[in-house]
Amino acid sequence: MTSEASLRVGASEYLPSATPIRSPLDSGLLRESANIEVSDTLRADLLDLDAWRQILTTFGRTTRVAVALTDSQGQVLGKCHNAQPVWQLVHDAARGWGTGCPFCITTHVPCTAVADALQTDGVVMVHDQAGLTHVAVPLLLGKLRLGAIIAGQVFDRYPDPLLLRRVAKEFGVSAQGLWELAREQRPVSNAVLQASGDLLCALGQAFLRQRYGAILEAKLAETNGRFRLLVEGVRDHALFTMDPTGRVTSWNGGAERLLGYAEAEIMGRNFSCIFTREDIQNRVPEKQLNKALEAGRVENEGWRVRGNRNQFWANVNITALEDAGLARGFAIIVHDVTERRKVATVLEEARQERACLQEKLLSHVSHELRTPLTAIYLFTTNLLDGIHGDLTPDQHEHLTFALDNVKQLKSMVGDLLDITRVETHKLTVEPQHLGLAKLIDDVLSTCLTNAAVKNISLRSDVAPGLPFVWADPARVRQILINLIDNGIKFAPAGGTVTVATRPYAENEGFLCLSVSDTGCGISRENREIVFDRLSQVRSTAEASRSGLGLGLFISRELVSRHGGRIWVESELGHGSIFYFTLPAFSLAKLCALVLTAPNLEAGCVTLIAVDVAAIEGAVQADILLEIRKVLERCIRPGQDVLLPSMSDAEPVGTFFIVAGTDAKGFEVIASRIVRELQNFDSASKLKPVISSTTLLLAPGQFGEEQIGDVASRVDQLVQAHLLGKERLK
Amino acid sequence: MTEKKILIIDDDQHLLLGLSARLKAKGYRVICAADAISAITVARKEVPDLVILDLGLPAGDGFRVLERMRDLADLAATPVIVLSARDPADNKKRALDAGAVAFFQKPPDNHEFLSAIRHALGETIALSTFLKT
């Protein structure tokens, strides 16, 4: 075969009669197609030969051309009509024919007609050496070039005998046969071919457009159908959609079954009908939609109501549907998890029951242990205090050891009970206004004996001018003693344990306390577990351990009950520092108990000042503390608050009570205070008087901010009173 | 000044022995009762200045004794300090509401316990008078 077997003559000598015909792209679907990336599957669907066959076959029959479809690379997808025997002849003779243009005499040189047509977006006519002519018509979908239709015309003139022979030789057919065939075929003029090309182009594009529309429609229908099947098939979940105002716009079978409304019944209704009355009053439906709008999606659990007013525990997912930044509505999935919740409740009840039993047992054990412990304690201290006569130094020392052990046993019994309280959520703290400096001094003196045994020095490092904390003194003592005892336990003889307090840099609302030791330190992995229950880190420095290993666990629980956190920093061989935080005292927080919106709105918050004066001379601090206790008994916890004195100095002879009561209720409180104080001190010459009251009236709506304002007003009034600059009016 | 009379009500003989020794050493007259019924009998007969009361008692618990005392004219005003091994979380408030002046869990700290006794007997108030003179 020679390379000249195919001679392309005038690749583009076809002069278009008009501008190339393209898809008019008038429908919305097709307009979008300009930007759509057509997948290989869609491409194959668009140029599916079977679909094209009828139109192309008809066309071929009408205009007596052979028609084939190619892809954009010129690959023949198939012939639709081969009416002309010459093509049949040539075709039958050729091998490996499917990859080449059926209308080119040679097969191994790619036909450029299709490429040219696609490049120019116009109809291209090609003559080959044998005098055979064909026309390539591009198929365009928007900007996409899908392929081409090639129409082949045998002769536009009677073939040259030399050429005939050459073709016959090339394909191994009889030249005579070819001639006979050529004579039988009437030559078609170029003009006819050109018109045929134009027609084919228009026809092809129209069909392509129609076919594309049909394919898209089919796919859409298929997708919708699948989605509908999916949505309808879900029986366990209610799936529905709503418009942006919360009105139901679609409702699946699961929703009908689960929520008890038929589709016709619910469409257009607001979805709040599935909420409880209480939730509707609290505007829960709106709040949830707003949350979904903000976050895109919101999940929650709660009671929901079926059409028949039965309630079930639902897990609800709300997804906000958005399109180009515009809220289009919501998709909701509701799942009935009542059973799961029941199981969880039963499990929780069982756990609680077990914890209660455990608490009862340990409470009993603790009670039973305390009785003999008390006897040992009494006899030991009686002997030590010399009630039964003098002791020898040895006896005194040994009894002191016995007493130390009794104290240790006592604190272990206390720990046991605390542990069960953690389990039953009964471990409570009773916070009060508390200065740390004195408390730390007290604690250190308590621990002194223990430290002295190991020759360990105790230090306190309290930053000056720290605010008070809001904490339970007994519990803070307990935490500090736990930490200090630990420090003493792990520090080598001659070491130091230091208790320090500092402002807490990370949160101004807290103070940070620390207990550091010069002990063996804690390794990284052990630092993670020291606060766990029953953990006791083995130390190489000291083999024997005392205690239950509950101290740090209880400390952690106690710190967290105060709202603080506890952690440890340590390095092996360089000692450890245990830190914990406690909330700083805040008048606003304290008053918040009474300064509630309902109280303030009703205008019924009163500030009462009780002045205590000795008729002659000063009042002793001890007595002021006793009076404080009496006043505490007068107030109703949660409704009234006894303010701590506002200065860090000695106790002041004025007490303030913020009471949630109006002028009438005030009389009741006042008489109660007077009565209690009379009971307290009829013999002494003390004179506690209610010096003044102020009704803290403030009209209007109350939020956090306003409550803060009233709290700061209380503060100002109290400060002013204490400074003696003005009497409360 | 006459000796103040303290009644200890507790079913633990060792506690009675140990505590009376301590209180006697502090100059108080001590009488004891070991169950709820004899407690009331003894109290009515002796009319103590102070009662130290356990809660778990044979023949009715400490709360019953407290109630009964409040009903009896002679004993209605007698201060009662509760000393019990029971959990204060469950019992302290109840005891104070029933009229006890203080609640101590066993074993009490000797110093604090004695302060409470002195206070209940009105002895601490004398300090203010003392301060004045």
Side-chain angles (χ1 to χ4, degrees):
Chain A
M1 284 188 209
T2 69
S3 59
E4 287 121 47
S6 164
L7 297 173
R8 251 177 107 254
V9 186
S12 299
E13 67 183 39
Y14 174 85
L15 293 174
S17 58
T19 45
I21 302 163
R22 299 165 193 234
S23 309
L25 304 181
D26 48 358
S27 82
L29 273 180
L30 289 180
R31 196 171 304 120
E32 280 169 18
S33 75
N35 304 318
I36 284 176
E37 195 181 323
V38 177
S39 68
D40 288 344
T41 335
L42 180 57
R43 209 180 277 270
D45 280 352
L46 283 169
L47 295 183
D48 177 29
L49 194 68
D50 286 339
W52 287 85
R53 194 179 300 279
Q54 193 181 3
I55 175 178
L56 293 181
T57 306
T58 314
F59 180 80
R61 285 216 183 90
T62 317
T63 57
R64 298 173 55 228
V65 290
V67 188
L69 205 59
T70 80
D71 67 9
S72 56
Q73 307 300 310
Q75 291 280 336
V76 175
L77 300 169
K79 285 179 283 139
C80 298
H81 177 64
N82 202 356
Q84 306 194 38
V86 66
W87 289 113
Q88 191 64 54
L89 189 70
V90 170
H91 178 209
D92 289 349
R95 283 175 305 180
W97 209 77
T99 56
C101 170
F103 307 118
C104 288
I105 290 299
T106 51
T107 56
H108 54 281
V109 178
C111 174
T112 56
V114 171
D116 284 348
L118 286 170
Q119 204 174 3
T120 59
D121 290 352
V123 179
V124 171
M125 192 158 75
V126 179
H127 305 292
D128 74 7
Q129 220 178 357
L132 306 176
T133 305
H134 57 268
V135 176
V137 170
L139 290 171
L140 305 172
L141 188 66
K143 287 176 185 166
L144 280 167
R145 299 177 167 104
L146 288 167
I149 303 169
I150 302 184
Q153 180 70 34
V154 188
F155 306 114
D156 63 349
R157 58 186 188 275
Y158 288 107
D160 177 25
L162 270 174
L163 277 175
L164 262 186
R165 271 203 291 280
R166 218 165 121 185
V167 172
K169 193 179 171 199
E170 174 95 14
F171 288 93
V173 295
S174 137
Q176 183 62 37
L178 266 180
W179 175 247
E180 296 291 326
L181 282 171
R183 275 209 333 186
E184 277 171 26
Q185 302 290 318
R186 235 180 339 165
V188 177
S189 73
N190 261 345
V192 173
L193 203 60
Q194 182 175 329
S196 144
D198 286 347
L199 189 63
L200 191 60
C201 189
L203 201 64
Q205 298 293 25
F207 184 72
L208 179 64
R209 203 180 60 192
Q210 184 195 353
R211 179 151 178 75
Y212 181 56
I215 288 172
L216 283 192
E217 228 164 77
K219 281 201 185 304
L220 200 65
E222 189 189 343
T223 312
N224 281 347
R226 261 207 306 257
F227 184 69
R228 201 176 311 117
L229 278 177
L230 178 75
V231 169
E232 283 305 317
V234 174
R235 305 292 299 166
D236 294 339
H237 290 70
L239 305 178
F240 59 99
T241 56
M242 305 182 314
D243 67 9
T245 66
R247 276 188 310 228
V248 175
T249 50
S250 76
W251 194 253
N252 83 333
E256 187 165 334
R257 194 185 66 84
L258 183 61
L259 296 165
Y261 292 95
E263 188 177 355
E265 194 183 349
I266 192 86
M267 290 293 273
R269 270 181 75 178
N270 195 289
F271 89 126
S272 62
C273 61
I274 67 165
F275 283 81
T276 61
R277 192 163 303 178
E278 197 186 357
D279 278 351
I280 295 170
Q281 272 167 6
N282 293 328
R283 308 178 139 270
V284 174
E286 290 99 306
K287 282 178 193 163
Q288 287 189 356
L289 292 189
N290 287 336
K291 224 183 264 178
L293 278 179
E294 269 169 37
R297 184 176 161 278
V298 59
E299 182 178 356
N300 54 63
E301 290 200 354
W303 290 110
R304 294 291 180 276
V305 186
R306 299 185 214 276
N308 60 8
R309 311 314 298 164
N310 280 349
Q311 293 199 359
F312 66 101
W313 188 260
N315 172 286
V316 184
N317 252 292
I318 305 181
T319 307
L321 303 175
E322 274 190 27
D323 187 13
L326 279 176
R328 286 293 160 94
F330 302 91
I332 321 271
I333 306 173
V334 184
H335 190 195
D336 182 350
V337 290
T338 314
E339 283 305 312
R340 195 189 71 193
R341 186 180 144 84
K342 264 187 208 158
V343 172
T345 315
V346 169
L347 280 178
E348 176 58 22
E349 276 169 4
R351 203 194 64 76
Q352 282 288 344
E353 199 177 322
R354 201 202 63 206
C356 277
L357 272 175
Q358 196 181 349
E359 194 206 5
K360 266 186 199 155
L361 176 72
L362 280 176
S363 173
H364 183 73
V365 168
S366 154
H367 180 267
E368 293 303 309
L369 286 175
R370 278 174 192 281
T371 305
L373 198 57
T374 308
I376 301 171
Y377 174 76
L378 282 171
F379 291 126
T380 313
T381 52
N382 285 356
L383 288 171
L384 273 171
D385 290 348
I387 288 174
H388 302 294
D390 290 340
L391 299 174
T392 67
D394 271 358
Q395 286 170 337
H396 193 276
E397 191 191 35
H398 292 180
L399 278 173
T400 307
F401 293 155
L403 183 60
D404 286 346
N405 283 285
V406 168
K407 283 178 180 167
Q408 205 180 337
L409 202 54
K410 180 182 166 185
S411 87
M412 288 189 326
V413 170
D415 281 357
L416 270 184
L417 200 60
D418 277 347
I419 282 290
T420 53
R421 286 185 183 139
V422 170
E423 294 258 325
T424 51
H425 310 294
K426 278 188 189 163
L427 185 68
T428 52
V429 294
E430 289 172 16
Q432 67 181 60
H433 165 259
L434 180 66
L436 285 175
K438 188 174 178 299
L439 184 118
I440 289 172
D441 281 349
D442 282 357
V443 169
L444 288 180
S445 65
T446 309
C447 297
L448 218 51
T449 334
N450 227 347
V453 174
K454 279 186 72 180
N455 190 25
I456 285 167
S457 49
L458 299 179
R459 289 195 190 137
S460 101
D461 172 15
V462 179
L466 284 179
F468 290 171
V469 291
W470 185 244
D472 186 329
R475 294 308 197 172
V476 177
R477 269 181 75 95
Q478 190 180 350
I479 299 166
L480 280 171
I481 289 175
N482 273 336
L483 295 179
I484 293 169
D485 278 351
N486 251 0
I488 293 173
K489 214 188 285 177
F490 288 95
T496 310
V497 172
T498 310
V499 180
T501 60
R502 294 275 178 275
Y504 183 43
E506 280 180 39
N507 188 338
E508 278 183 16
F510 285 83
L511 289 191
C512 181
L513 292 85
S514 66
V515 176
S516 52
D517 65 61
T518 53
C520 50
I522 304 168
S523 67
R524 178 183 293 275
E525 62 267 29
N526 284 335
R527 254 175 276 160
E528 309 284 328
I529 58 162
V530 286
F531 295 107
D532 290 350
R533 203 173 156 164
L534 296 175
S535 85
Q536 201 169 67
V537 176
R538 292 217 172 277
S539 132
T540 47
E542 198 183 342
S544 69
R545 285 280 158 272
S546 55
L548 296 172
L550 295 171
L552 287 176
F553 173 71
I554 293 171
S555 297
R556 185 184 69 185
E557 293 300 320
L558 287 173
V559 169
S560 79
R561 295 293 189 284
H562 279 94
R565 58 179 283 251
I566 187 167
W567 70 101
V568 62
E569 286 173 11
S570 179
E571 208 177 312
L572 273 180
H574 291 89
S576 313
I577 311 178
F578 283 86
Y579 294 94
F580 67 100
T581 60
L582 290 173
F585 168 70
S586 144
L587 184 66
K589 256 192 226 166
L590 179 65
C591 288
L593 286 172
V594 176
L595 300 180
T596 57
N599 269 352
L600 288 168
E601 257 175 59
C604 58
V605 175
T606 311
L607 178 66
I608 302 164
V610 180
D611 277 344
V612 183
I615 288 176
E616 290 170 51
V619 185
Q620 210 193 4
D622 282 2
I623 294 174
L624 289 174
L625 286 176
E626 292 302 328
I627 291 177
R628 184 183 177 88
K629 283 183 186 163
V630 172
L631 289 175
E632 270 169 0
R633 279 218 301 276
C634 295
I635 68 174
R636 296 162 297 174
Q639 291 177 310
D640 309 333
V641 174
L642 181 62
L643 295 185
S645 62
M646 294 296 116
S647 80
D648 199 0
E650 290 296 297
V652 190
T654 306
F655 297 94
F656 298 95
I657 297 168
V658 178
T661 175
D662 54 12
K664 203 171 168 191
F666 157 71
E667 297 293 336
V668 178
I669 285 201
S671 62
R672 199 166 63 209
I673 293 171
V674 169
R675 199 173 55 238
E676 283 279 349
L677 286 175
Q678 278 169 350
N679 281 346
F680 162 70
D681 197 304
S682 52
S684 86
K685 305 204 169 174
L686 282 173
K687 197 182 143 201
V689 289
I690 293 174
S691 67
S692 55
T693 64
T694 307
L695 280 176
L696 297 163
L697 295 168
Q701 292 292 311
F702 286 90
E704 289 276 318
E705 210 174 294
Q706 284 74 16
I707 287 172
D709 285 350
V710 180
S712 67
R713 209 172 131 216
V714 172
D715 194 16
Q716 282 167 11
L717 286 167
V718 171
Q719 295 285 9
H721 189 102
L722 288 172
L723 290 169
K725 282 182 184 162
E726 93 184 28
R727 300 302 288 174
L728 293 169
K729 186 72 184 168
Chain B
M1 198 166 112
T2 55
E3 271 182 348
K4 290 273 167 75
K5 206 190 289 175
I6 300 178
L7 167 62
I8 310 176
I9 307 169
D10 200 303
D11 59 335
D12 179 11
Q13 292 301 328
H14 289 147
L15 180 128
L16 292 178
L17 188 59
L19 190 57
S20 348
R22 176 157 284 271
L23 293 179
K24 280 175 189 163
K26 294 288 172 190
Y28 297 108
R29 235 188 95 203
V30 181
I31 37 178
C32 297
D35 66 83
I37 294 168
S38 67
I40 295 296
T41 320
V42 174
R44 294 186 75 168
K45 193 177 142 213
E46 298 278 343
V47 193
D49 297 293
L50 173 77
V51 172
I52 294 170
L53 176 67
D54 188 16
L55 290 179
L57 289 173
D61 74 356
F63 289 112
R64 294 288 300 278
V65 175
L66 209 47
E67 273 170 31
R68 187 87 184 95
M69 280 179 67
R70 292 293 168 254
D71 290 342
L72 297 168
D74 287 356
L75 300 171
T78 310
V80 176
I81 293 177
V82 171
L83 175 63
S84 167
R86 289 188 191 173
D87 188 355
D90 301 328
N91 296 285
K92 184 175 177 178
K93 192 177 175 300
R94 195 178 155 202
L96 295 183
D97 287 348
V101 295
F103 181 99
F104 281 85
Q105 191 182 23
K106 289 180 184 173
D109 177 88
N110 280 331
H111 181 71
E112 285 175 21
F113 193 55
L114 198 65
S115 302
I117 290 172
R118 287 207 171 120
H119 178 59
L121 287 170
E123 291 170 346
T124 47
I125 297 302
L127 280 171
S128 66
T129 325
F130 171 77
L131 197 81
K132 203 186 67 181
T133 52

